[in-house]
PDB file of all heavy atoms in Angstrom:
ATOM      1  N   GLU D1326     -27.494  67.562  38.387  1.00  0.00           N
ATOM      2  CA  GLU D1326     -28.940  67.515  38.176  1.00  0.00           C
ATOM      3  C   GLU D1326     -29.707  68.054  39.382  1.00  0.00           C
ATOM      4  O   GLU D1326     -30.691  68.773  39.227  1.00  0.00           O
ATOM      5  CB  GLU D1326     -29.363  66.074  37.858  1.00  0.00           C
ATOM      6  CG  GLU D1326     -28.792  65.624  36.506  1.00  0.00           C
ATOM      7  CD  GLU D1326     -29.214  64.219  36.126  1.00  0.00           C
ATOM      8  OE1 GLU D1326     -29.740  63.486  36.993  1.00  0.00           O
ATOM      9  OE2 GLU D1326     -29.001  63.844  34.962  1.00  0.00           O
ATOM     10  N   TYR D1327     -29.270  67.699  40.594  1.00  0.00           N
ATOM     11  CA  TYR D1327     -29.969  68.169  41.789  1.00  0.00           C
ATOM     12  C   TYR D1327     -29.826  69.677  41.942  1.00  0.00           C
ATOM     13  O   TYR D1327     -30.747  70.365  42.379  1.00  0.00           O
ATOM     14  CB  TYR D1327     -29.439  67.468  43.050  1.00  0.00           C
ATOM     15  CG  TYR D1327     -29.756  65.988  43.112  1.00  0.00           C
ATOM     16  CD1 TYR D1327     -29.187  65.191  44.098  1.00  0.00           C
ATOM     17  CD2 TYR D1327     -30.626  65.397  42.209  1.00  0.00           C
ATOM     18  CE1 TYR D1327     -29.462  63.837  44.171  1.00  0.00           C
ATOM     19  CE2 TYR D1327     -30.899  64.039  42.266  1.00  0.00           C
ATOM     20  CZ  TYR D1327     -30.310  63.263  43.244  1.00  0.00           C
ATOM     21  OH  TYR D1327     -30.577  61.926  43.315  1.00  0.00           O
ATOM     22  N   ALA D1328     -28.632  70.203  41.612  1.00  0.00           N
ATOM     23  CA  ALA D1328     -28.406  71.639  41.760  1.00  0.00           C
ATOM     24  C   ALA D1328     -29.014  72.424  40.604  1.00  0.00           C
ATOM     25  O   ALA D1328     -29.266  73.627  40.724  1.00  0.00           O
ATOM     26  CB  ALA D1328     -26.904  71.927  41.845  1.00  0.00           C
ATOM     27  N   GLY D1329     -29.257  71.748  39.492  1.00  0.00           N
ATOM     28  CA  GLY D1329     -29.794  72.438  38.323  1.00  0.00           C
ATOM     29  C   GLY D1329     -28.766  73.310  37.634  1.00  0.00           C
ATOM     30  O   GLY D1329     -29.117  74.219  36.885  1.00  0.00           O
ATOM     31  N   MET D1330     -27.500  73.052  37.876  1.00  0.00           N
ATOM     32  CA  MET D1330     -26.443  73.847  37.237  1.00  0.00           C
ATOM     33  C   MET D1330     -25.163  73.022  37.241  1.00  0.00           C
ATOM     34  O   MET D1330     -24.996  72.122  38.063  1.00  0.00           O
ATOM     35  CB  MET D1330     -26.221  75.159  37.979  1.00  0.00           C
ATOM     36  CG  MET D1330     -25.818  74.987  39.429  1.00  0.00           C
ATOM     37  SD  MET D1330     -25.719  76.557  40.315  1.00  0.00           S
ATOM     38  CE  MET D1330     -27.444  77.059  40.338  1.00  0.00           C
ATOM     39  N   SER D1331     -24.271  73.358  36.334  1.00  0.00           N
ATOM     40  CA  SER D1331     -23.012  72.605  36.277  1.00  0.00           C
ATOM     41  C   SER D1331     -21.887  73.343  36.986  1.00  0.00           C
ATOM     42  O   SER D1331     -20.889  72.738  37.364  1.00  0.00           O
ATOM     43  CB  SER D1331     -22.633  72.295  34.829  1.00  0.00           C
ATOM     44  OG  SER D1331     -22.560  73.483  34.080  1.00  0.00           O
ATOM     45  N   SER D1332     -22.036  74.674  37.153  1.00  0.00           N
ATOM     46  CA  SER D1332     -21.011  75.404  37.905  1.00  0.00           C
ATOM     47  C   SER D1332     -21.604  76.689  38.462  1.00  0.00           C
ATOM     48  O   SER D1332     -22.646  77.155  37.992  1.00  0.00           O
ATOM     49  CB  SER D1332     -19.797  75.710  37.010  1.00  0.00           C
ATOM     50  OG  SER D1332     -20.194  76.527  35.929  1.00  0.00           O
ATOM     51  N   ALA D1333     -20.945  77.221  39.451  1.00  0.00           N
ATOM     52  CA  ALA D1333     -21.446  78.458  40.076  1.00  0.00           C
ATOM     53  C   ALA D1333     -20.295  79.123  40.810  1.00  0.00           C
ATOM     54  O   ALA D1333     -19.312  78.481  41.175  1.00  0.00           O
ATOM     55  CB  ALA D1333     -22.572  78.130  41.056  1.00  0.00           C
ATOM     56  N   VAL D1334     -20.435  80.443  41.020  1.00  0.00           N
ATOM     57  CA  VAL D1334     -19.505  81.162  41.889  1.00  0.00           C
ATOM     58  C   VAL D1334     -20.142  81.223  43.273  1.00  0.00           C
ATOM     59  O   VAL D1334     -21.320  81.533  43.410  1.00  0.00           O
ATOM     60  CB  VAL D1334     -19.223  82.579  41.347  1.00  0.00           C
ATOM     61  CG1 VAL D1334     -18.441  83.388  42.372  1.00  0.00           C
ATOM     62  CG2 VAL D1334     -18.471  82.501  40.030  1.00  0.00           C
ATOM     63  N   LEU D1335     -19.345  80.891  44.289  1.00  0.00           N
ATOM     64  CA  LEU D1335     -19.868  80.897  45.663  1.00  0.00           C
ATOM     65  C   LEU D1335     -19.067  81.908  46.482  1.00  0.00           C
ATOM     66  O   LEU D1335     -17.836  81.926  46.449  1.00  0.00           O
ATOM     67  CB  LEU D1335     -19.720  79.488  46.256  1.00  0.00           C
ATOM     68  CG  LEU D1335     -20.227  79.289  47.694  1.00  0.00           C
ATOM     69  CD1 LEU D1335     -21.748  79.446  47.758  1.00  0.00           C
ATOM     70  CD2 LEU D1335     -19.820  77.898  48.206  1.00  0.00           C
ATOM     71  N   GLU D1336     -19.804  82.746  47.194  1.00  0.00           N
ATOM     72  CA  GLU D1336     -19.197  83.770  48.072  1.00  0.00           C
ATOM     73  C   GLU D1336     -19.085  83.170  49.469  1.00  0.00           C
ATOM     74  O   GLU D1336     -20.062  82.649  50.002  1.00  0.00           O
ATOM     75  CB  GLU D1336     -20.120  84.998  48.079  1.00  0.00           C
ATOM     76  CG  GLU D1336     -19.685  86.132  48.978  1.00  0.00           C
ATOM     77  CD  GLU D1336     -18.716  87.083  48.254  1.00  0.00           C
ATOM     78  OE1 GLU D1336     -18.942  87.369  47.071  1.00  0.00           O
ATOM     79  OE2 GLU D1336     -17.729  87.497  48.905  1.00  0.00           O
ATOM     80  N   LEU D1337     -17.903  83.232  50.064  1.00  0.00           N
ATOM     81  CA  LEU D1337     -17.682  82.645  51.388  1.00  0.00           C
ATOM     82  C   LEU D1337     -16.907  83.629  52.260  1.00  0.00           C
ATOM     83  O   LEU D1337     -16.066  84.384  51.761  1.00  0.00           O
ATOM     84  CB  LEU D1337     -16.839  81.364  51.275  1.00  0.00           C
ATOM     85  CG  LEU D1337     -17.487  80.124  50.691  1.00  0.00           C
ATOM     86  CD1 LEU D1337     -16.425  79.048  50.474  1.00  0.00           C
ATOM     87  CD2 LEU D1337     -18.592  79.598  51.619  1.00  0.00           C
ATOM     88  N   PRO D1338     -17.188  83.617  53.603  1.00  0.00           N
ATOM     89  CA  PRO D1338     -16.358  84.425  54.503  1.00  0.00           C
ATOM     90  C   PRO D1338     -14.962  83.811  54.609  1.00  0.00           C
ATOM     91  O   PRO D1338     -14.776  82.627  54.326  1.00  0.00           O
ATOM     92  CB  PRO D1338     -17.096  84.323  55.842  1.00  0.00           C
ATOM     93  CG  PRO D1338     -17.888  83.072  55.757  1.00  0.00           C
ATOM     94  CD  PRO D1338     -18.242  82.874  54.315  1.00  0.00           C
ATOM     95  N   GLU D1339     -14.009  84.630  55.031  1.00  0.00           N
ATOM     96  CA  GLU D1339     -12.649  84.137  55.213  1.00  0.00           C
ATOM     97  C   GLU D1339     -12.346  84.067  56.699  1.00  0.00           C
ATOM     98  O   GLU D1339     -12.640  85.055  57.418  1.00  0.00           O
ATOM     99  CB  GLU D1339     -11.641  85.075  54.514  1.00  0.00           C
ATOM    100  CG  GLU D1339     -10.802  84.335  53.517  1.00  0.00           C
ATOM    101  CD  GLU D1339     -10.044  85.261  52.557  1.00  0.00           C
ATOM    102  OE1 GLU D1339     -10.614  86.277  52.108  1.00  0.00           O
ATOM    103  OE2 GLU D1339      -8.896  84.936  52.265  1.00  0.00           O
ATOM    104  N   PRO D1340     -11.773  83.009  57.254  1.00  0.00           N
ATOM    105  CA  PRO D1340     -11.457  81.753  56.582  1.00  0.00           C
ATOM    106  C   PRO D1340     -12.687  80.854  56.479  1.00  0.00           C
ATOM    107  O   PRO D1340     -13.589  80.941  57.304  1.00  0.00           O
ATOM    108  CB  PRO D1340     -10.412  81.129  57.500  1.00  0.00           C
ATOM    109  CG  PRO D1340     -10.828  81.561  58.873  1.00  0.00           C
ATOM    110  CD  PRO D1340     -11.416  82.951  58.713  1.00  0.00           C
ATOM    111  N   SER D1341     -12.706  79.977  55.460  1.00  0.00           N
ATOM    112  CA  SER D1341     -13.758  78.963  55.344  1.00  0.00           C
ATOM    113  C   SER D1341     -13.117  77.617  55.059  1.00  0.00           C
ATOM    114  O   SER D1341     -12.060  77.536  54.424  1.00  0.00           O
ATOM    115  CB  SER D1341     -14.722  79.310  54.198  1.00  0.00           C
ATOM    116  OG  SER D1341     -15.638  80.305  54.595  1.00  0.00           O
ATOM    117  N   ARG D1342     -13.811  76.585  55.546  1.00  0.00           N
ATOM    118  CA  ARG D1342     -13.373  75.216  55.257  1.00  0.00           C
ATOM    119  C   ARG D1342     -14.320  74.587  54.235  1.00  0.00           C
ATOM    120  O   ARG D1342     -15.391  75.139  53.947  1.00  0.00           O
ATOM    121  CB  ARG D1342     -13.374  74.391  56.551  1.00  0.00           C
ATOM    122  CG  ARG D1342     -12.386  74.919  57.573  1.00  0.00           C
ATOM    123  CD  ARG D1342     -12.391  74.145  58.875  1.00  0.00           C
ATOM    124  NE  ARG D1342     -11.520  74.829  59.844  1.00  0.00           N
ATOM    125  CZ  ARG D1342     -10.188  74.671  59.892  1.00  0.00           C
ATOM    126  NH1 ARG D1342      -9.582  73.833  59.073  1.00  0.00           N
ATOM    127  NH2 ARG D1342      -9.472  75.347  60.770  1.00  0.00           N
ATOM    128  N   VAL D1343     -13.950  73.426  53.738  1.00  0.00           N
ATOM    129  CA  VAL D1343     -14.804  72.715  52.781  1.00  0.00           C
ATOM    130  C   VAL D1343     -16.193  72.500  53.369  1.00  0.00           C
ATOM    131  O   VAL D1343     -17.216  72.676  52.697  1.00  0.00           O
ATOM    132  CB  VAL D1343     -14.152  71.366  52.383  1.00  0.00           C
ATOM    133  CG1 VAL D1343     -15.146  70.470  51.658  1.00  0.00           C
ATOM    134  CG2 VAL D1343     -12.918  71.611  51.509  1.00  0.00           C
ATOM    135  N   SER D1344     -16.253  72.159  54.671  1.00  0.00           N
ATOM    136  CA  SER D1344     -17.560  71.920  55.311  1.00  0.00           C
ATOM    137  C   SER D1344     -18.429  73.172  55.289  1.00  0.00           C
ATOM    138  O   SER D1344     -19.648  73.081  55.151  1.00  0.00           O
ATOM    139  CB  SER D1344     -17.351  71.434  56.757  1.00  0.00           C
ATOM    140  OG  SER D1344     -16.500  72.336  57.443  1.00  0.00           O
ATOM    141  N   ASP D1345     -17.801  74.348  55.390  1.00  0.00           N
ATOM    142  CA  ASP D1345     -18.566  75.596  55.316  1.00  0.00           C
ATOM    143  C   ASP D1345     -19.153  75.787  53.916  1.00  0.00           C
ATOM    144  O   ASP D1345     -20.295  76.221  53.756  1.00  0.00           O
ATOM    145  CB  ASP D1345     -17.659  76.789  55.654  1.00  0.00           C
ATOM    146  CG  ASP D1345     -17.068  76.675  57.055  1.00  0.00           C
ATOM    147  OD1 ASP D1345     -17.805  76.272  57.976  1.00  0.00           O
ATOM    148  OD2 ASP D1345     -15.863  76.953  57.207  1.00  0.00           O
ATOM    149  N   ALA D1346     -18.359  75.465  52.913  1.00  0.00           N
ATOM    150  CA  ALA D1346     -18.851  75.588  51.535  1.00  0.00           C
ATOM    151  C   ALA D1346     -20.029  74.648  51.305  1.00  0.00           C
ATOM    152  O   ALA D1346     -21.040  75.020  50.693  1.00  0.00           O
ATOM    153  CB  ALA D1346     -17.728  75.294  50.541  1.00  0.00           C
ATOM    154  N   LEU D1347     -19.918  73.412  51.819  1.00  0.00           N
ATOM    155  CA  LEU D1347     -21.012  72.441  51.635  1.00  0.00           C
ATOM    156  C   LEU D1347     -22.275  72.905  52.353  1.00  0.00           C
ATOM    157  O   LEU D1347     -23.382  72.758  51.826  1.00  0.00           O
ATOM    158  CB  LEU D1347     -20.588  71.055  52.148  1.00  0.00           C
ATOM    159  CG  LEU D1347     -19.408  70.405  51.402  1.00  0.00           C
ATOM    160  CD1 LEU D1347     -19.157  68.991  51.925  1.00  0.00           C
ATOM    161  CD2 LEU D1347     -19.662  70.368  49.891  1.00  0.00           C
ATOM    162  N   ALA D1348     -22.097  73.482  53.540  1.00  0.00           N
ATOM    163  CA  ALA D1348     -23.264  73.979  54.280  1.00  0.00           C
ATOM    164  C   ALA D1348     -23.958  75.076  53.479  1.00  0.00           C
ATOM    165  O   ALA D1348     -25.199  75.102  53.359  1.00  0.00           O
ATOM    166  CB  ALA D1348     -22.830  74.490  55.656  1.00  0.00           C
ATOM    167  N   ALA D1349     -23.168  75.968  52.896  1.00  0.00           N
ATOM    168  CA  ALA D1349     -23.748  77.051  52.084  1.00  0.00           C
ATOM    169  C   ALA D1349     -24.451  76.481  50.855  1.00  0.00           C
ATOM    170  O   ALA D1349     -25.548  76.925  50.487  1.00  0.00           O
ATOM    171  CB  ALA D1349     -22.644  78.025  51.662  1.00  0.00           C
ATOM    172  N   LEU D1350     -23.851  75.469  50.236  1.00  0.00           N
ATOM    173  CA  LEU D1350     -24.472  74.857  49.054  1.00  0.00           C
ATOM    174  C   LEU D1350     -25.755  74.123  49.418  1.00  0.00           C
ATOM    175  O   LEU D1350     -26.746  74.166  48.678  1.00  0.00           O
ATOM    176  CB  LEU D1350     -23.484  73.885  48.384  1.00  0.00           C
ATOM    177  CG  LEU D1350     -22.283  74.548  47.695  1.00  0.00           C
ATOM    178  CD1 LEU D1350     -21.233  73.503  47.329  1.00  0.00           C
ATOM    179  CD2 LEU D1350     -22.749  75.302  46.438  1.00  0.00           C
ATOM    180  N   GLY D1351     -25.758  73.451  50.571  1.00  0.00           N
ATOM    181  CA  GLY D1351     -26.955  72.744  51.024  1.00  0.00           C
ATOM    182  C   GLY D1351     -28.086  73.706  51.329  1.00  0.00           C
ATOM    183  O   GLY D1351     -29.264  73.405  51.099  1.00  0.00           O
TER     184      GLY D1351
END
Side-chain angles (χ1 to χ4, degrees):
Chain D
E1326 293 182 347
Y1327 293 171
M1330 60 185 67
S1331 56
S1332 61
V1334 171
L1335 181 67
E1336 177 87 41
L1337 288 171
E1339 237 166 320
S1341 281
R1342 297 178 187 277
V1343 167
S1344 53
D1345 300 319
L1347 297 185
L1350 290 168

